[in-house]
Amino acid sequence: MTSVTTATATAGTATTGTKMTGAEMVIQAFADQGVAHIFGYPGGAVLPIYDALFHQNAIEHILVRHEQAAVHAAEGYARSSGKVGVVLVTSGPGATNAVTGLADALMDSIPIVCISGQVASHLIGNDAFQECDTVGITRPCTKHNYLVRDVNDLARVLHEAFYVAQNGRPGPVVVDIPKDVQFATGTYVGRANIQHKTYRPKLEAEDGQIAAAVEMIASAKKPIFYTGGGVINSGPEASRLLRAFARETGVPVTSTLMGLGAFPASDPQWLGMLGMHGTYEANLAMHDCDVMVCIGARFDDRITGRLDAFAPGSKKIHIDIDPSSINKNVKVDLPIVGDVARVLGAMTRAWAARGLAMDKAALTAWWAQIDRWRSRQCLAYRASDTIIKPQYAIERLYHAVKDKDVYITTEVGQHQMWAAQFCRFEEPNRWLTSGGLGTMGYGLPAAIGAQKAHPGALVVDIAGEASIQMNMQEMSTAMQFDLPVKVFILNNKYMGMVRQWQELLHGGRYSHSYSEALPDFVKLAEAYGGVGIRCDKPADLDAAIHEMISVRKPVIFDCVVDQQENCFPMIPSGRAHNEMILGDMAVDLDAAITDEGKMLV
């Protein structure tokens, strides 16, 4: 028998027909799929695979301190690198701890393959030690999952898992492997010998749909491109084609939280992020447009606001590789199922072949209206010489890192929205945040994953003092693997977004949103062996940020900010795009503004 321990130690060269154990098949399949790093935590039901890992040196295992963090780290790795993130956990609590990360990856369309150990086959269903129905539990929060009962099926399933995770709309796939299957010997099947028989995502759009789309765009008087994470998931070519098509047509571009970076923030056609905490100009342009081209987004509730008032006068084109997303939330006039890059390429060619052009006079008038909305300066805030405003902290951080090879992750809350508003991304895959599930605790492990994928880059997790504590234990992982991630905490001593909603919608009754008994974050960083920095004065902020960046160790930066600052603009839940709350520093356009939007303040 040729063992995988020899094959993977060199180059992963085992071929179809090689005899090996199920545990060795897992490692061999990883090698065949080009996996260099996996994130995991050992346990009894997965020890045979860990033993196989011990006997090879082609794949590095990053030991996390919690299985939820393993999935988030794999998400950060996948989103920053374009590769599949790989996770290895044990049965029972190992698998259930991973569920939050799997749900997060499903909502945000992140390609993950999670291998979970399972009790021996004859014990399944007997309430054995550390047994749970992993397939049943993860079915609602994965793209697909498998329970492998025959070792001779294992290699095929593993290769299928990678195919399913990264093709079509990406997502997480679980492969649950009983311990006896890991010990059993079977015949390995190589990656080249596997072809999924049923899952074949549609990549190319129909010519008639492309023709109809470009004709509809050319006829528009007030068009807008509404772009999402699907542009980034489609790869760098999709972002390039989006930029080229936008410049060719002159159409304004906005983006969801997940789509930031697909279109350069410095481009004058960029309106900023839209949605609940999006810009005034992006939201009102969406509300008033007559042709909306949705590219790789899914019309989620944080974008649409009240559905019956969402872009009421517009015709809608929806481009998405996932047919189940079409007409799910918003009925569209022209659905196009296909890969974003291929569809944009086809539209660009059709536009040129037909000699189409926008109505210049109408487009000029549309941009004049958008510029009027822009002049409202919706992100303006009241500066202070004595207390650090959170917006100012993000601005100074962005100014310090913008010219570096930087990846920014976030936790979830006010700090996340301020980061989206004030960090201006020029390229895709540099912004890593939890969008659909809104998972507190995402940012630090995601930063660890991104840092592992890009060891020479600067990786900063923008955090809140409440959210960071969800997975603070991963500082230990950062230290062990020499991953110099920077945790930049906006410390307002509140669960900031919870406090904001309680102030605006619940009469200022701050029920359990105050962060009491906070740790000393400087001492906590030092306890892990990292570096702690604290700053509470605006005048000291730039120097402190420079110190954080210059240290080549994990850093926790405790930035003490204004406790009462709210994140604006904001569309209250259940309101329409033209019913935004703006901050008190937004420019007043006098009575004329009431014709464009119903201002609540």
Side-chain angles (χ1 to χ4, degrees):
M1 181 180 78
T2 301
S3 171
V4 72
T5 56
T6 300
T8 57
T10 54
T13 55
T15 59
T16 294
T18 302
K19 293 290 186 179
M20 60 182 72
T21 68
E24 291 170 336
M25 286 184 188
V26 173
I27 306 306
Q28 185 62 56
F30 288 169
D32 283 357
Q33 292 288 338
V35 174
H37 304 97
I38 63 177
F39 302 86
Y41 200 93
V46 78
L47 286 182
I49 298 175
Y50 272 89
D51 193 52
L53 268 173
F54 183 84
H55 291 286
Q56 58 83 54
N57 57 21
I59 300 165
E60 183 182 5
H61 176 274
I62 295 88
L63 177 67
V64 297
R65 271 51 178 178
H66 192 283
E67 291 88 352
Q68 177 187 344
V71 185
H72 292 328
E75 287 185 274
Y77 184 93
R79 292 174 68 173
S80 65
S81 69
K83 301 176 182 178
V84 176
V86 181
V87 176
L88 180 58
V89 299
T90 194
S91 65
T96 58
N97 280 350
V99 164
T100 297
L102 293 170
D104 188 271
L106 182 68
M107 291 283 277
D108 287 346
S109 305
I110 312 303
I112 300 293
V113 170
C114 177
I115 308 299
S116 59
Q118 183 56 275
V119 301
S121 299
H122 70 280
L123 293 175
I124 293 175
N126 290 334
D127 295 330
F129 177 67
Q130 290 194 332
E131 180 197 358
C132 73
D133 179 7
T134 300
V135 167
I137 290 169
T138 62
R139 184 172 288 117
C141 63
T142 56
K143 186 177 177 182
H144 195 58
N145 59 19
Y146 301 85
L147 171 61
V148 183
R149 292 182 176 270
D150 185 339
V151 69
N152 289 303
D153 292 332
L154 181 55
R156 171 186 60 80
V157 166
L158 290 165
H159 294 309
E160 281 189 6
F162 278 86
Y163 173 83
V164 171
Q166 61 191 316
N167 283 275
R169 178 180 175 181
V173 177
V174 166
V175 181
D176 198 35
I177 311 174
K179 195 169 184 178
D180 57 308
V181 174
Q182 297 171 44
F183 277 123
T185 298
T187 302
Y188 183 75
V189 180
R191 175 182 182 179
N193 299 84
I194 301 297
Q195 187 174 32
H196 203 286
K197 293 183 174 63
T198 59
Y199 184 58
R200 303 285 180 85
K202 182 181 178 183
L203 303 179
E204 305 286 351
E206 298 170 12
D207 290 343
Q209 293 176 323
I210 297 297
V214 294
E215 292 286 353
M216 192 181 297
I217 294 168
S219 69
K221 307 298 182 186
K222 298 188 292 183
I224 191 168
F225 290 165
Y226 151 40
T227 63
V231 181
I232 294 173
N233 287 340
S234 184
E237 182 67 3
S239 293
R240 186 191 70 78
L241 288 166
L242 170 65
R243 296 167 191 222
F245 193 51
R247 292 187 183 107
E248 174 65 25
T249 59
V251 172
V253 182
T254 184
S255 171
T256 66
L257 180 73
M258 298 301 296
L260 295 177
F263 193 81
S266 61
D267 195 291
Q269 287 177 241
W270 171 243
L271 304 187
M273 183 178 72
L274 79 155
M276 181 170 282
H277 291 285
T279 65
Y280 185 68
E281 53 268 30
N283 282 326
L284 285 191
M286 284 283 282
H287 183 78
D288 279 9
C289 71
D290 65 349
V291 172
M292 175 192 301
V293 186
C294 175
I295 309 171
R298 57 187 178 86
F299 294 102
D300 73 280
D301 61 290
R302 288 290 170 116
I303 296 302
T304 64
R306 198 172 82 241
L307 281 173
D308 63 0
F310 174 65
S314 71
K315 293 182 179 179
K316 301 175 181 67
I317 302 168
H318 189 183
I319 303 166
D320 205 296
I321 199 167
D322 180 9
S324 71
S325 291
I326 304 287
N327 290 324
K328 182 170 70 175
N329 296 325
V330 172
K331 182 173 176 56
V332 299
D333 300 276
L334 179 57
I336 301 177
V337 176
D339 174 68
V340 165
R342 300 195 190 202
V343 173
L344 284 173
M347 290 173 67
T348 302
R349 292 189 295 273
W351 185 272
R354 290 167 176 266
L356 296 174
M358 302 298 297
D359 181 332
K360 289 186 178 179
L363 194 60
T364 298
W366 180 226
W367 273 111
Q369 177 60 77
I370 290 170
D371 287 341
R372 182 167 175 78
W373 291 326
R374 273 179 170 163
S375 67
R376 192 79 203 250
Q377 298 180 30
C378 66
L379 297 181
Y381 60 92
R382 193 176 299 279
S384 172
D385 293 330
T386 58
I387 188 169
I388 299 175
K389 293 289 184 175
Q391 303 96 320
Y392 179 74
I394 299 296
E395 282 189 313
R396 299 317 300 164
L397 173 65
Y398 170 72
H399 178 77
V401 305
K402 65 179 181 178
D403 295 325
K404 300 182 183 299
D405 180 16
V406 63
Y407 295 84
I408 292 178
T409 74
T410 77
E411 307 295 334
V412 168
Q414 282 180 321
H415 62 274
Q416 176 191 29
M417 295 297 105
W418 280 315
Q421 291 172 344
F422 290 94
C423 293
R424 298 175 63 79
F425 296 94
E426 300 296 309
E427 298 295 335
N429 304 110
R430 299 286 177 155
W431 164 250
L432 316 175
T433 195
S434 174
L437 198 64
T439 306
M440 294 174 72
Y442 170 89
L444 176 54
I448 286 170
Q451 189 77 81
K452 194 65 197 178
H454 307 277
L458 172 64
V459 182
V460 181
D461 171 31
I462 297 175
E465 84 292 331
S467 196
I468 189 60
Q469 294 187 83
M470 290 283 186
N471 272 315
M472 177 58 79
Q473 75 283 342
E474 298 310 312
M475 277 292 289
S476 184
T477 300
M479 289 300 305
Q480 178 179 346
F481 292 92
D482 190 26
L483 301 170
V485 297
K486 319 301 182 187
V487 180
F488 189 79
I489 300 173
L490 298 185
N491 186 350
N492 59 12
K493 296 187 178 179
Y494 276 97
M495 301 173 200
M497 195 61 81
V498 174
R499 185 206 59 77
Q500 177 169 332
W501 281 57
Q502 288 173 334
E503 175 186 326
L504 298 176
L505 304 175
H506 298 280
R509 295 179 293 278
Y510 303 126
S511 178
H512 300 283
S513 57
Y514 184 68
S515 297
E516 297 188 60
L518 283 175
D520 182 326
F521 286 110
V522 172
K523 291 181 179 178
L524 185 59
E526 293 169 350
Y528 278 110
V531 173
I533 300 171
R534 187 173 188 271
C535 184
D536 59 5
K537 294 181 175 60
D540 298 337
L541 187 56
D542 283 355
I545 290 173
H546 176 75
E547 180 186 355
M548 176 189 77
I549 294 170
S550 64
V551 173
R552 206 204 171 285
K553 292 183 74 172
V555 175
I556 298 177
F557 188 117
D558 186 11
C559 186
V560 181
V561 300
D562 188 342
Q563 294 184 14
Q564 303 301 318
E565 194 75 6
N566 286 331
C567 184
F568 295 121
M570 177 181 175
I571 303 175
S573 182
R575 299 296 185 98
H577 281 171
N578 63 336
E579 297 177 307
M580 300 181 71
I581 301 176
L582 298 187
D584 60 4
M585 292 301 291
V587 173
D588 186 2
L589 297 184
D590 301 319
I593 197 66
T594 62
D595 296 331
E596 315 300 344
K598 304 171 186 176
M599 304 317 300
L600 300 185
V601 295

